[in-house]
């Protein structure tokens, strides 16, 4: 096997000012934190990519477009399934006083839960009041599968990865801790930001050395590294492919490091008007999302 070749290094999806249409492209500035620039309403220019994000033959053109609105790197239609690992960082397991799992803990998210950069995280009434339901943030390194994978070995697992992006696995702890199944508490509509940039597997030499942070209202609350994962990217892709086909467009959230809100004393919760930002290194950048509680005044965008 061989890694999936891509002609692009950093892929974004956006509405272009010139066409009012959705395009994919590669930022002209290779060092630009696209998510932060979009939030700050800075000018972002990108070389248009011909083809789709999941097409290995997609080609970076010389046509330059201006980003009017930044979107998640994949549309909901392109995401085949969203699989998530829970309790996958040693320091996070320690902070909540739980034993490291013997096998990956898996749950799924509905596609309706997925949102992009700058879009508001929407806390529904079923998860209010937030002080009781413990609305929480989780920065996560996220894998995007690029070719069908079934029964793959750990040695070959990275050859099926198209690229890496970021996510915020917003969780509601009261619902989560009521049952052993986490899908309900982590699957509400418009609660899971994804993005801002999809970085090609070819540009990530070691997915187990990616720094990641979460900042809430200007205060850094999580500051970790993917090196602390209990099940690394190779192990995760291999395990999830056993007896199960991971189709191109499958999205895999790989867990969060220590610093989550409900483990703090007193607990820190997401609430109406908050500014929540997750950042990942290796060119992924910052995913900024305001928080809205259903029935309350909207966050300022």
């Amino acid at each position: 096997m061989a890694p999936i070749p891509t002609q692009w290094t950093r892929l974004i999806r956006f509405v272009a000012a010139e066409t009012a249409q959705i395009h994919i492209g590669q930022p002209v500035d290779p060092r630009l934190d696209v998510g932060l620039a979009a939030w700050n309403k800075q000018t972002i220019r990108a070389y248009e990519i011909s083809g789709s994000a999941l097409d290995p033959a997609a080609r970076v053109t010389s046509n330059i477009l201006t980003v009017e609105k930044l979107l998640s790197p994949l549309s909901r239609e392109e995401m085949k399934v969203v699989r998530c690992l829970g309790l996958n960082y040693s320091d996070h397991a320690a902070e909540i006083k739980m034993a490291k799992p013997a096998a990956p803990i898996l749950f799924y998210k509905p596609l309706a839960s997925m949102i992009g950069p700058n879009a508001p995280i929407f806390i529904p009434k079923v998860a209010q009041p937030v002080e009781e339901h413990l609305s929480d943030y989780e920065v996560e390194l996220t894998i995007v599968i690029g070719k069908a994978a079934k029964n793959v070995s750990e040695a070959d697992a990275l050859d099926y990865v198209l690229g890496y992006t970021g996510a915020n696995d917003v969780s509601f702890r009261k619902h989560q801790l009521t049952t052993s199944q986490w899908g309900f508490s982590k699957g509400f509509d418009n609660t899971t930001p994804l993005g801002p940039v999809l970085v090609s597997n070819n540009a990530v030499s070691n997915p187990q050395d990616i720094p990641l942070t979460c900042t809430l209202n200007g205060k850094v609350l999580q500051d970790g590294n993917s090196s602390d994962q209990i099940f690394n990217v190779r192990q995760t892709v291999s395990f999830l492919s056993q007896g199960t086909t991971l189709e191109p467009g499958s999205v895999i959230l790989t867990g969060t490091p220590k610093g989550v809100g409900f483990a703090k004393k007193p607990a820190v919760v997401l609430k109406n008007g908050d500014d929540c930002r997750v950042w990942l290194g290796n060119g992924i950048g910052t995913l900024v999302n305001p928080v809205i509680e259903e029935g309350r005044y909207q966050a300022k965008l």
Side-chain angles (χ1 to χ4, degrees):
M1 298 296 296
I4 299 171
T6 64
Q7 294 188 32
W8 49 268
T9 302
R10 302 170 73 219
L11 180 146
I12 59 174
R13 193 170 67 95
F14 59 96
V15 176
E18 292 84 355
T19 67
Q21 302 288 323
I22 296 175
H23 300 261
I24 57 174
Q26 175 157 283
V28 170
D29 183 348
R31 298 171 302 278
L32 181 67
D33 185 331
V34 176
L36 196 58
W39 178 255
N40 291 330
K41 303 187 184 306
Q42 297 173 1
T43 299
I44 303 167
R45 293 186 174 88
Y47 294 109
E48 183 179 12
I49 294 175
S50 174
S52 73
L54 300 176
D55 179 6
R59 180 176 57 88
V60 180
T61 72
S62 59
N63 185 39
I64 295 178
L65 296 171
T66 306
V67 175
E68 179 70 24
K69 180 181 181 182
L70 186 63
L71 307 171
S72 61
L74 297 179
S75 68
R76 289 178 177 175
E77 291 72 25
E78 290 174 312
M79 300 179 210
K80 292 297 184 288
V81 68
V82 181
R83 303 181 185 207
C84 312
L85 263 58
L87 206 64
N88 193 38
Y89 278 70
S90 298
D91 56 4
H92 175 50
E95 78 172 337
I96 60 174
K97 299 177 174 58
M98 293 185 69
K100 295 180 183 180
I105 297 173
L106 176 65
F107 62 95
Y108 290 74
K109 282 182 178 283
L111 294 179
S113 71
M114 308 303 291
I115 58 176
N118 301 352
I121 296 166
F122 190 78
I123 300 178
K125 289 185 177 179
V126 72
Q128 296 178 30
V130 293
E131 293 80 9
E132 175 187 341
H133 284 269
L134 301 174
S135 43
D136 211 345
Y137 50 83
E138 291 189 2
V139 58
E140 307 217 1
L141 173 65
T142 300
I143 304 164
V144 175
I145 296 296
K147 59 185 175 184
K150 184 175 182 179
N151 298 330
V152 305
S153 67
E154 291 180 18
D156 292 337
L158 296 188
D159 294 343
Y160 295 85
V161 175
L162 175 67
Y164 302 91
T165 189
N168 187 352
D169 177 18
V170 172
S171 307
F172 301 90
R173 305 302 187 184
K174 181 179 179 180
H175 287 300
Q176 181 182 0
L177 299 175
T178 300
T179 174
S180 61
Q181 299 295 321
W182 298 350
F184 181 73
S185 63
K186 290 171 171 276
F188 297 130
D189 288 356
N190 302 313
T191 52
T192 307
L194 182 76
V197 173
L198 179 63
V199 176
S200 170
N201 71 91
N202 300 288
V204 179
S205 59
N206 180 13
Q208 302 313 137
D209 188 25
I210 297 179
L212 62 171
T213 66
C214 180
T215 302
L216 183 63
N217 299 325
K219 183 176 181 180
V220 177
L221 298 180
Q222 289 183 283
D223 186 0
N225 191 288
S226 60
S227 61
D228 197 50
Q229 288 182 343
I230 297 169
F231 302 100
N232 64 30
V233 172
R234 287 183 182 273
Q235 292 169 318
T236 295
V237 172
S238 176
F239 178 86
L240 294 181
S241 77
Q242 299 308 305
T244 304
T245 301
L246 303 177
E247 297 182 74
S250 295
V251 174
I252 305 171
L253 279 65
T254 62
T256 199
K258 70 177 181 180
V260 296
F262 88 109
K264 297 183 182 298
K265 306 296 182 186
V268 175
V269 299
L270 296 177
K271 62 186 184 301
N272 196 70
D274 278 352
D275 177 309
C276 192
R277 306 181 179 205
V278 299
W279 170 87
L280 294 92
N282 290 65
I284 296 172
T286 306
L287 187 56
V288 184
N289 299 90
V291 179
I292 291 176
E293 292 179 45
E294 182 180 8
R296 299 192 62 183
Y297 292 109
Q298 291 192 353
K300 184 178 179 180
L301 300 180

